[in-house]
Amino acid sequence: MFTNFQHRWSFMRKIFIELIDPENVATFFVDNSNRQFQLAREILESKASKIPEGDIEYMLKEYALGLERQLSWARGMISERKPRLMATTNRQKGKTQ
């Protein structure tokens, strides 16, 4: 049931993303990131007593690896945009001087 849901959600997610107004993207992005973490934490904490220790260790290592990939991606995106942000800031300073 969940596998089928995940498959359908991947198609719906693309549509959903298109429907987000650009002015709401920042709030949605941050809130969704926080909710995803909270969901992962709640799932593990509520089921930990019923999951073998080896599986918990595997889950946490995979989760940590995913976080490292996300951090690397975020840092890359920041680095990519930094020159543009600096240019925008410098243009704005030039207008006010």
Side-chain angles (χ1 to χ4, degrees):
M1 181 174 79
F2 287 113
T3 303
N4 192 16
F5 172 77
Q6 287 179 324
H7 181 69
R8 285 185 289 174
W9 174 243
S10 68
F11 290 110
M12 293 299 295
R13 185 175 56 212
K14 292 173 186 170
I15 295 168
F16 183 71
I17 290 169
E18 289 300 315
L19 295 174
I20 300 171
D21 288 328
E23 66 222 24
N24 297 327
V25 169
T27 300
F28 180 81
F29 187 89
V30 171
D31 289 349
N32 189 51
S33 177
N34 291 331
R35 278 189 296 247
Q36 289 286 24
F37 170 71
Q38 189 62 33
L39 176 63
R41 186 176 173 175
E42 287 175 15
I43 289 170
L44 183 60
E45 289 175 355
S46 71
K47 303 292 183 183
S49 65
K50 299 173 183 135
I51 301 171
E53 279 299 315
D55 288 354
I56 292 174
E57 183 178 356
Y58 169 76
M59 291 164 57
L60 290 172
K61 285 181 176 179
E62 286 296 313
Y63 190 76
L65 182 60
L67 291 173
E68 289 171 8
R69 288 181 187 135
Q70 290 175 31
L71 182 58
S72 176
W73 172 81
R75 286 182 172 156
M77 296 296 283
I78 290 167
S79 294
E80 210 176 275
R81 281 156 177 70
K82 208 171 213 175
R84 287 186 252 165
L85 293 172
M86 297 283 283
T88 301
T89 303
N90 289 339
R91 273 186 262 139
Q92 289 174 347
K93 284 182 183 177
K95 288 181 184 178
T96 59
Q97 291 178 355

